Amino acid sequence: MLRVLVSIVFALFLLMIVLGRYAPSPSSPDAAMWAIGWVGIVALLYSAVNSFDALRHSLGQPTRLVYIGLLFSFLPLLVAAYSVAVWQYSPAKLSTFQIISMLFGGLSAVVDLTLFSWLTFGHARNANGQGRKSG
């Protein structure tokens, strides 16, 4: 369930960036780099929490909860895909900060969906005794 909560919070953070609710206006190149750096740090924290959850807490979970976590992990990726639609079709184009933030968020979501889902389903399958049998 931690994966669901973290995915929702990260998707809301990315949505705030796309909608312009969080839009720092840096006065220098250093301040601009720090603004982007904080988004990168949040994306890394999202990946770190999901990796910990995939490796530690997925063991012994029912498969249904693993599927629910997978479904909610699509939220940040959907926000990144929404940002592409806004970038392409909206008269108010995205800023460079928003584009780079969505790249960070989208890449973190792709890593979560591929690597950590694979690890989570591997743990769930092995815990239920459905793994490969040697012999």
Side-chain angles (χ1 to χ4, degrees):
M1 275 328 230
L2 178 67
R3 186 175 185 181
V4 171
L5 180 65
V6 171
S7 295
I8 290 172
V9 169
F10 188 60
L12 288 174
F13 175 67
L14 292 177
L15 194 61
M16 283 177 36
I17 291 173
V18 170
L19 297 177
R21 304 275 187 234
Y22 175 68
S25 55
S27 57
S28 68
D30 287 340
M33 290 302 293
W34 276 108
I36 290 293
W38 282 114
V39 174
I41 289 171
V42 170
L44 284 173
L45 285 174
Y46 168 73
S47 293
V49 169
N50 275 336
S51 67
F52 177 74
D53 185 55
L55 294 173
R56 230 22 213 156
H57 296 291
S58 63
L59 197 58
Q61 276 189 353
T63 309
R64 186 186 73 187
L65 289 178
V66 176
Y67 282 119
I68 289 172
L70 176 67
L71 287 176
F72 276 94
S73 291
F74 277 100
L75 285 176
L77 190 61
L78 290 175
V79 172
Y82 170 73
S83 73
V84 171
V86 169
W87 179 50
Q88 288 294 317
Y89 302 114
S90 175
K93 299 290 186 185
L94 294 179
S95 67
T96 304
F97 171 76
Q98 290 170 321
I99 293 169
I100 293 172
S101 298
M102 290 305 111
L103 284 172
F104 284 161
L107 288 174
S108 293
V110 166
V111 167
D112 175 38
L113 284 170
T114 55
L115 180 64
F116 303 139
S117 296
W118 174 60
L119 289 172
T120 301
F121 282 111
H123 277 192
R125 185 177 61 232
N126 289 335
N128 292 333
Q130 297 172 354
R132 185 188 307 190
K133 296 182 183 187
S134 60

CSV table of all heavy atoms in Angstrom, one decimal, residues 80-117:
chain,number,residue,atom,x,y,z
A,80,ALA,N,2.9,12.5,-17.0
A,80,ALA,CA,3.9,12.9,-17.9
A,80,ALA,C,3.4,12.8,-19.4
A,80,ALA,O,3.7,13.7,-20.2
A,80,ALA,CB,5.1,11.9,-17.8
A,81,ALA,N,2.5,11.9,-19.7
A,81,ALA,CA,1.9,11.8,-21.0
A,81,ALA,C,1.0,13.0,-21.2
A,81,ALA,O,0.9,13.5,-22.3
A,81,ALA,CB,1.2,10.5,-21.2
A,82,TYR,N,0.2,13.4,-20.2
A,82,TYR,CA,-0.6,14.5,-20.2
A,82,TYR,C,0.2,15.8,-20.5
A,82,TYR,O,-0.2,16.7,-21.3
A,82,TYR,CB,-1.4,14.7,-18.9
A,82,TYR,CG,-2.1,16.0,-18.8
A,82,TYR,CD1,-3.3,16.2,-19.6
A,82,TYR,CD2,-1.7,17.0,-18.0
A,82,TYR,CE1,-4.0,17.4,-19.5
A,82,TYR,CE2,-2.4,18.2,-17.8
A,82,TYR,CZ,-3.5,18.4,-18.6
A,82,TYR,OH,-4.2,19.6,-18.5
A,83,SER,N,1.4,15.9,-19.9
A,83,SER,CA,2.2,17.0,-20.2
A,83,SER,C,2.7,17.1,-21.6
A,83,SER,O,2.8,18.2,-22.2
A,83,SER,CB,3.4,17.0,-19.3
A,83,SER,OG,4.4,16.0,-19.6
A,84,VAL,N,2.9,15.9,-22.3
A,84,VAL,CA,3.2,15.9,-23.7
A,84,VAL,C,2.1,16.5,-24.5
A,84,VAL,O,2.3,17.3,-25.5
A,84,VAL,CB,3.6,14.5,-24.2
A,84,VAL,CG1,3.8,14.4,-25.7
A,84,VAL,CG2,4.9,14.1,-23.5
A,85,ALA,N,0.9,16.1,-24.2
A,85,ALA,CA,-0.3,16.6,-24.9
A,85,ALA,C,-0.4,18.2,-24.7
A,85,ALA,O,-0.7,18.9,-25.6
A,85,ALA,CB,-1.6,15.9,-24.4
A,86,VAL,N,-0.2,18.6,-23.4
A,86,VAL,CA,-0.3,20.1,-23.2
A,86,VAL,C,0.8,20.8,-24.0
A,86,VAL,O,0.6,21.8,-24.6
A,86,VAL,CB,-0.1,20.4,-21.7
A,86,VAL,CG1,0.1,21.8,-21.4
A,86,VAL,CG2,-1.3,19.9,-20.9
A,87,TRP,N,2.0,20.2,-24.0
A,87,TRP,CA,3.2,20.8,-24.7
A,87,TRP,C,2.9,20.9,-26.2
A,87,TRP,O,3.3,21.9,-26.8
A,87,TRP,CB,4.4,19.9,-24.4
A,87,TRP,CG,5.7,20.4,-25.1
A,87,TRP,CD1,6.2,21.6,-25.0
A,87,TRP,CD2,6.6,19.6,-25.8
A,87,TRP,NE1,7.4,21.6,-25.7
A,87,TRP,CE2,7.6,20.4,-26.2
A,87,TRP,CE3,6.6,18.2,-26.2
A,87,TRP,CZ2,8.7,19.9,-26.9
A,87,TRP,CZ3,7.6,17.8,-26.9
A,87,TRP,CH2,8.7,18.6,-27.3
A,88,GLN,N,2.2,19.9,-26.8
A,88,GLN,CA,2.0,19.9,-28.2
A,88,GLN,C,0.8,20.7,-28.6
A,88,GLN,O,0.9,21.4,-29.7
A,88,GLN,CB,1.8,18.5,-28.7
A,88,GLN,CG,3.1,17.7,-28.7
A,88,GLN,CD,4.1,18.2,-29.7
A,88,GLN,OE1,3.8,18.5,-30.8
A,88,GLN,NE2,5.3,18.3,-29.2
A,89,TYR,N,-0.3,20.7,-27.9
A,89,TYR,CA,-1.6,21.2,-28.4
A,89,TYR,C,-2.1,22.4,-27.7
A,89,TYR,O,-3.0,23.0,-28.1
A,89,TYR,CB,-2.6,20.1,-28.3
A,89,TYR,CG,-2.2,18.9,-29.1
A,89,TYR,CD1,-2.0,17.7,-28.5
A,89,TYR,CD2,-2.1,19.0,-30.5
A,89,TYR,CE1,-1.6,16.6,-29.3
A,89,TYR,CE2,-1.7,17.9,-31.3
A,89,TYR,CZ,-1.5,16.7,-30.6
A,89,TYR,OH,-1.1,15.6,-31.4
A,90,SER,N,-1.5,22.8,-26.6
A,90,SER,CA,-2.0,24.0,-25.8
A,90,SER,C,-1.3,25.2,-26.4
A,90,SER,O,-0.2,25.3,-26.7
A,90,SER,CB,-1.6,23.8,-24.3
A,90,SER,OG,-2.0,25.0,-23.6
A,91,PRO,N,-2.1,26.3,-26.4
A,91,PRO,CA,-1.6,27.6,-26.9
A,91,PRO,C,-0.5,28.1,-25.9
A,91,PRO,O,0.4,28.8,-26.3
A,91,PRO,CB,-2.8,28.5,-27.0
A,91,PRO,CG,-3.9,27.8,-26.5
A,91,PRO,CD,-3.6,26.4,-26.2
A,92,ALA,N,-0.7,27.8,-24.6
A,92,ALA,CA,0.3,28.2,-23.6
A,92,ALA,C,1.2,27.0,-23.4
A,92,ALA,O,1.0,26.1,-22.7
A,92,ALA,CB,-0.4,28.5,-22.2
A,93,LYS,N,2.4,27.1,-24.1
A,93,LYS,CA,3.3,26.0,-24.1
A,93,LYS,C,4.0,25.9,-22.7
A,93,LYS,O,4.0,26.8,-21.9
A,93,LYS,CB,4.4,26.3,-25.1
A,93,LYS,CG,3.9,26.4,-26.5
A,93,LYS,CD,3.5,25.1,-27.0
A,93,LYS,CE,3.1,25.2,-28.5
A,93,LYS,NZ,2.6,24.0,-29.0
A,94,LEU,N,4.6,24.7,-22.5
A,94,LEU,CA,5.2,24.5,-21.2
A,94,LEU,C,6.6,25.2,-21.2
A,94,LEU,O,7.2,25.4,-22.2
A,94,LEU,CB,5.5,23.0,-21.1
A,94,LEU,CG,4.3,22.1,-20.9
A,94,LEU,CD1,4.7,20.6,-20.8
A,94,LEU,CD2,3.4,22.5,-19.7
A,95,SER,N,7.0,25.5,-20.0
A,95,SER,CA,8.3,26.2,-19.9
A,95,SER,C,9.4,25.1,-19.9
A,95,SER,O,9.1,23.9,-19.8
A,95,SER,CB,8.4,27.0,-18.6
A,95,SER,OG,8.3,26.1,-17.5
A,96,THR,N,10.6,25.5,-20.0
A,96,THR,CA,11.8,24.6,-20.0
A,96,THR,C,11.8,23.9,-18.6
A,96,THR,O,12.1,22.7,-18.6
A,96,THR,CB,13.1,25.4,-20.2
A,96,THR,OG1,13.0,26.1,-21.4
A,96,THR,CG2,14.2,24.4,-20.3
A,97,PHE,N,11.5,24.5,-17.5
A,97,PHE,CA,11.4,23.9,-16.2
A,97,PHE,C,10.4,22.8,-16.2
A,97,PHE,O,10.7,21.7,-15.7
A,97,PHE,CB,11.1,24.9,-15.1
A,97,PHE,CG,10.8,24.3,-13.8
A,97,PHE,CD1,11.8,23.9,-13.0
A,97,PHE,CD2,9.5,24.2,-13.3
A,97,PHE,CE1,11.6,23.3,-11.8
A,97,PHE,CE2,9.2,23.7,-12.1
A,97,PHE,CZ,10.3,23.2,-11.3
A,98,GLN,N,9.2,23.0,-16.8
A,98,GLN,CA,8.2,22.0,-16.8
A,98,GLN,C,8.6,20.8,-17.7
A,98,GLN,O,8.3,19.7,-17.3
A,98,GLN,CB,6.9,22.6,-17.3
A,98,GLN,CG,6.3,23.6,-16.3
A,98,GLN,CD,5.1,24.4,-16.9
A,98,GLN,OE1,5.2,24.8,-18.1
A,98,GLN,NE2,4.1,24.5,-16.1
A,99,ILE,N,9.2,21.1,-18.8
A,99,ILE,CA,9.6,20.0,-19.7
A,99,ILE,C,10.7,19.1,-19.1
A,99,ILE,O,10.6,17.9,-19.1
A,99,ILE,CB,10.1,20.6,-21.0
A,99,ILE,CG1,9.0,21.2,-21.8
A,99,ILE,CG2,10.8,19.5,-21.9
A,99,ILE,CD1,9.4,22.0,-23.0
A,100,ILE,N,11.7,19.7,-18.4
A,100,ILE,CA,12.7,18.9,-17.8
A,100,ILE,C,12.2,18.2,-16.6
A,100,ILE,O,12.5,17.0,-16.4
A,100,ILE,CB,13.9,19.8,-17.4
A,100,ILE,CG1,14.6,20.4,-18.6
A,100,ILE,CG2,14.9,19.1,-16.5
A,100,ILE,CD1,15.6,21.4,-18.4
A,101,SER,N,11.2,18.8,-15.9
A,101,SER,CA,10.6,18.1,-14.7
A,101,SER,C,9.8,16.9,-15.2
A,101,SER,O,9.8,15.8,-14.5
A,101,SER,CB,9.7,19.1,-14.0
A,101,SER,OG,10.4,20.2,-13.4
A,102,MET,N,9.1,17.0,-16.3
A,102,MET,CA,8.4,15.9,-16.8
A,102,MET,C,9.3,14.8,-17.3
A,102,MET,O,8.9,13.6,-17.2
A,102,MET,CB,7.4,16.3,-17.9
A,102,MET,CG,6.2,17.2,-17.4
A,102,MET,SD,5.3,16.4,-16.0
A,102,MET,CE,5.8,17.4,-14.7
A,103,LEU,N,10.4,15.1,-17.8
A,103,LEU,CA,11.4,14.1,-18.2
A,103,LEU,C,11.9,13.3,-17.0
A,103,LEU,O,11.9,12.1,-17.0
A,103,LEU,CB,12.6,14.7,-18.9
A,103,LEU,CG,12.4,15.2,-20.4
A,103,LEU,CD1,13.6,16.0,-20.9
A,103,LEU,CD2,12.1,14.0,-21.3
A,104,PHE,N,12.2,14.1,-15.9
A,104,PHE,CA,12.6,13.4,-14.7
A,104,PHE,C,11.4,12.5,-14.2
A,104,PHE,O,11.7,11.3,-13.8
A,104,PHE,CB,13.0,14.4,-13.6
A,104,PHE,CG,14.3,15.0,-13.8
A,104,PHE,CD1,14.6,16.2,-13.1
A,104,PHE,CD2,15.3,14.5,-14.6
A,104,PHE,CE1,15.9,16.8,-13.3
A,104,PHE,CE2,16.5,15.0,-14.8
A,104,PHE,CZ,16.8,16.2,-14.1
A,105,GLY,N,10.2,13.0,-14.1
A,105,GLY,CA,9.1,12.3,-13.6
A,105,GLY,C,8.7,11.1,-14.5
A,105,GLY,O,8.4,10.0,-14.0
A,106,GLY,N,8.8,11.3,-15.8
A,106,GLY,CA,8.4,10.2,-16.7
A,106,GLY,C,9.5,9.1,-16.6
A,106,GLY,O,9.1,7.9,-16.6
A,107,LEU,N,10.7,9.4,-16.6
A,107,LEU,CA,11.8,8.4,-16.5
A,107,LEU,C,11.7,7.6,-15.1
A,107,LEU,O,11.9,6.4,-15.1
A,107,LEU,CB,13.1,9.0,-16.6
A,107,LEU,CG,13.5,9.5,-18.1
A,107,LEU,CD1,14.8,10.2,-18.1
A,107,LEU,CD2,13.5,8.3,-19.0
A,108,SER,N,11.4,8.3,-14.1
A,108,SER,CA,11.2,7.6,-12.8
A,108,SER,C,10.0,6.7,-12.8
A,108,SER,O,10.1,5.6,-12.3
A,108,SER,CB,11.0,8.7,-11.7
A,108,SER,OG,12.1,9.4,-11.5
A,109,ALA,N,8.9,7.1,-13.5
A,109,ALA,CA,7.8,6.3,-13.6
A,109,ALA,C,8.0,5.0,-14.5
A,109,ALA,O,7.6,3.9,-14.1
A,109,ALA,CB,6.6,7.1,-14.2
A,110,VAL,N,8.8,5.2,-15.5
A,110,VAL,CA,9.2,4.1,-16.4
A,110,VAL,C,10.0,3.1,-15.6
A,110,VAL,O,9.8,1.9,-15.7
A,110,VAL,CB,9.8,4.6,-17.7
A,110,VAL,CG1,10.5,3.4,-18.4
A,110,VAL,CG2,8.8,5.3,-18.6
A,111,VAL,N,11.0,3.6,-14.8
A,111,VAL,CA,11.8,2.7,-14.0
A,111,VAL,C,11.0,2.0,-13.0
A,111,VAL,O,11.1,0.7,-12.8
A,111,VAL,CB,13.0,3.5,-13.3
A,111,VAL,CG1,13.6,2.7,-12.3
A,111,VAL,CG2,14.0,3.9,-14.4
A,112,ASP,N,10.0,2.7,-12.4
A,112,ASP,CA,9.1,2.0,-11.4
A,112,ASP,C,8.3,1.0,-12.1
A,112,ASP,O,8.2,-0.1,-11.5
A,112,ASP,CB,8.2,3.1,-10.8
A,112,ASP,CG,7.2,2.5,-9.9
A,112,ASP,OD1,7.5,1.5,-9.1
A,112,ASP,OD2,6.1,3.0,-9.8
A,113,LEU,N,7.7,1.3,-13.2
A,113,LEU,CA,6.9,0.3,-13.9
A,113,LEU,C,7.6,-0.9,-14.4
A,113,LEU,O,7.1,-2.0,-14.4
A,113,LEU,CB,6.1,1.0,-15.0
A,113,LEU,CG,5.0,1.8,-14.6
A,113,LEU,CD1,4.4,2.7,-15.7
A,113,LEU,CD2,3.9,1.0,-13.9
A,114,THR,N,8.8,-0.8,-14.9
A,114,THR,CA,9.5,-1.9,-15.5
A,114,THR,C,10.3,-2.7,-14.4
A,114,THR,O,9.9,-3.9,-14.1
A,114,THR,CB,10.5,-1.5,-16.6
A,114,THR,OG1,11.3,-0.5,-16.1
A,114,THR,CG2,9.7,-0.9,-17.8
A,115,LEU,N,11.2,-2.1,-13.8
A,115,LEU,CA,12.1,-2.8,-12.9
A,115,LEU,C,11.4,-3.2,-11.6
A,115,LEU,O,11.4,-4.4,-11.2
A,115,LEU,CB,13.3,-1.9,-12.6
A,115,LEU,CG,14.4,-2.6,-11.6
A,115,LEU,CD1,15.0,-3.8,-12.3
A,115,LEU,CD2,15.4,-1.6,-11.3
A,116,PHE,N,10.8,-2.3,-10.9
A,116,PHE,CA,10.2,-2.6,-9.6
A,116,PHE,C,9.0,-3.5,-9.7
A,116,PHE,O,8.7,-4.3,-8.8
A,116,PHE,CB,10.0,-1.3,-8.8
A,116,PHE,CG,11.2,-0.5,-8.7
A,116,PHE,CD1,11.2,0.9,-8.8
A,116,PHE,CD2,12.4,-1.1,-8.4
A,116,PHE,CE1,12.3,1.6,-8.7
A,116,PHE,CE2,13.6,-0.3,-8.3
A,116,PHE,CZ,13.5,1.0,-8.4
A,117,SER,N,8.2,-3.3,-10.8
A,117,SER,CA,7.1,-4.2,-11.0
A,117,SER,C,7.5,-5.6,-11.3
A,117,SER,O,7.0,-6.6,-10.8
A,117,SER,CB,6.2,-3.7,-12.1
A,117,SER,OG,5.6,-2.5,-11.8
